Amino acid sequence: MTSSNWIDIEKQYYMFTVRRQPVVIARGEGTRAWDVDGKEYLDFCAGWAVNNLGHCHPAITQAIVEQASTLLQTSNQFYTLPQLHLAELLVENSAMDKVFFSNSGAEANEGAVKLARKYGKKNRDGAYEVITAFNSFHGRTMGMVAATGQPHYQEAWQPLTPGFVHVDFNDFEAIVEATNDRTAAVFLEPVQGEGGVNIPDDDYLPRVREWCDSQGLLLVFDEIQTGLGRLGTLFGYESFGVEPDAMTLAKGLGGGVPIGAFMSKDYCMSLEPGDHGSTFGGNALTTAAAHASTKFIIDNDIPANAVAMGERLMGALNQLRGEFSSISDVRGKGLLVALEFDDNISPRVVARCNEEGLLLNPVKPNAIRFMPPLNITAEEVDQGVEKLESALRKI
Ligand SMILES: *Cc1c(COP(=O)(O)O)cnc(C)c1O
């Protein structure tokens, strides 16, 4: 069976809700992946910023194999060791005091919004509104569709869950103006990922922090894409010198297995027994994998490699910018990087890159996103840029 056979099978059986690239991936190792026809790719998508240590990292694989033959699922009616190991590791290495594990990013955000609403109810006289940003992305549940500030993710699902207010990202005054008696929290990605890798000015998040303190609002960071080393610090907030009151994680947390988390400081942990739960959330398999991945990231200072390789990648992309007039911007932090074109050519560029053996994400019609594994080598960065360059020459 070739790739095109499999693509026909997908058309017949699978709901068409995501435009896929015509690459049927059979196997991965590190920064490389192979399709069913045996073609090799450099993978700069990494499962959408999930495979922070690349495909099938031995530390994660070993943890999964061992846990799979020990214990998978118990429900949260009981205690299990992997869940508690991971909870301790995350709390001891972050500014947060408590954690709850979910199965995905959207679910983690749902939990954080529940926590913020209950905090507002108790501490801010019934306040429930959550201020989020335009161009944000917070997930696909009914609640998170309302939180996400992009009309094209919302229109078909009106009426939306009430209680979300949107403001321009990187506009501090807009948050001041949107604040009122009903406001419970401000909920932001430190760097907007899916919205096109939008990096705020240095003083934006510190000013939002001060405002939240002065008004008694919670500041919640969606660190689902920025957390676990992606920006070159273990958590994105460290890159901006600001601590949130609560934050959410997912994507890179499990190193490839589906797990999310929301974390909170003790003083605002408003949830009580019966308020929240999950059948699978925090099960032994996913928490064992996430513990192995997170511990490896911390012990081997993987964020430092993200800084160095991010600088190398951005340097090379800026050189390409000098050569190709169609490139209008290069921006990024750590290994979350975008290249913007002056025209809507990113789907064509990505298709060409696929042919060259490079997997990339067309994050916007006019921009591509780079989110390779954080343990990528200098040689792999250079090879990826070479493939991109030869793709651009053919456009
Ligand atoms: C991917 C993402 C989500 C949604 O995560 P899922 O696991 O797809 O539900 C939420 N917020 C941000 C910032 C993301 O990048």
Side-chain angles (χ1 to χ4, degrees), residues 82-312:
Q83 182 185 93
L84 302 177
H85 285 314
L86 179 61
E88 182 180 26
L89 186 69
L90 289 173
V91 167
E92 293 301 330
N93 286 281
S94 72
M96 301 291 117
D97 297 316
K98 295 286 190 294
V99 65
F100 181 95
F101 296 118
S102 64
N103 306 290
S104 68
E107 255 183 89
N109 284 343
E110 291 282 349
V113 169
K114 282 173 77 174
L115 181 147
R117 278 209 188 185
K118 187 140 188 213
Y119 179 86
K121 220 178 207 60
K122 288 202 294 200
N123 300 81
R124 220 172 170 271
D125 201 20
Y128 61 90
E129 275 182 6
V130 175
I131 298 173
T132 71
F134 287 118
N135 258 317
S136 60
F137 184 79
H138 298 297
R140 304 290 205 147
T141 57
M142 283 303 297
M144 289 309 113
V145 160
T148 291
Q150 301 192 52
H152 69 107
Y153 286 128
Q154 300 178 324
E155 274 151 15
W157 293 279
Q158 301 277 1
L160 300 176
T161 306
F164 294 97
V165 176
H166 299 107
V167 297
D168 283 341
F169 187 61
N170 200 26
D171 181 348
F172 169 69
E173 292 301 334
I175 288 178
V176 173
E177 275 165 40
T179 302
N180 60 49
D181 290 347
R182 298 181 301 275
T183 313
V186 177
F187 182 39
L188 297 169
E189 297 158 85
V191 170
Q192 292 186 328
E194 200 271 348
V197 187
N198 305 318
I199 297 159
D201 295 337
D202 285 343
D203 66 344
Y204 174 63
L205 295 174
R207 290 178 79 191
V208 175
R209 173 72 275 175
E210 272 174 36
W211 176 251
C212 289
D213 287 342
S214 74
Q215 302 297 308
L217 308 177
L218 291 189
L219 178 58
V220 185
F221 281 170
D222 179 340
E223 292 249 18
I224 288 168
Q225 192 157 153
T226 53
L228 283 312
R230 181 59 49 188
L231 299 187
T233 47
L234 187 58
F235 300 105
Y237 67 78
E238 298 168 61
S239 294
F240 295 95
V242 167
E243 281 183 11
D245 301 301
M247 70 172 176
T248 57
L249 303 170
K251 295 211 160 80
L253 177 58
V257 304
I259 181 170
F262 65 100
M263 302 187 72
S264 165
K265 300 259 203 190
D266 273 332
Y267 57 71
C268 58
M269 214 308 274
S270 57
L271 301 178
E272 293 161 296
D275 280 351
H276 202 58
S278 175
T279 298
F280 292 123
N283 84 35
L285 182 73
T286 54
T287 51
H291 182 268
S293 176
T294 303
K295 188 154 180 0
F296 190 95
I297 286 172
I298 293 169
D299 289 351
N300 295 278
D301 200 0
I302 297 297
N305 193 61
V307 171
M309 293 305 114
E311 281 169 7
R312 189 179 185 95

Side-chain angles (χ1 to χ4, degrees), residues 19-23 25 41-48 313 317 320 337-339 341 346-364 367-372 376 381 384-385 387-389 391-392:
R19 264 177 235 290
R20 303 185 204 240
Q21 285 153 32
V23 180
I25 301 178
Y41 300 87
L42 267 178
D43 185 358
F44 280 23
C45 286
W48 284 343
L313 176 61
L317 295 179
L320 287 189
V337 174
L339 185 71
F341 301 103
S346 78
R348 272 169 62 210
V349 173
V350 166
R352 274 286 182 194
C353 285
N354 287 343
E355 288 167 22
E356 299 289 324
L358 173 65
L359 304 180
L360 280 171
N361 169 252
V363 66
K364 296 267 140 179
I368 53 182
R369 179 170 42 159
F370 303 73
M371 40 190 165
I376 191 171
V381 169
V385 173
K387 289 176 191 294
L388 172 64
E389 181 172 3
L392 289 172

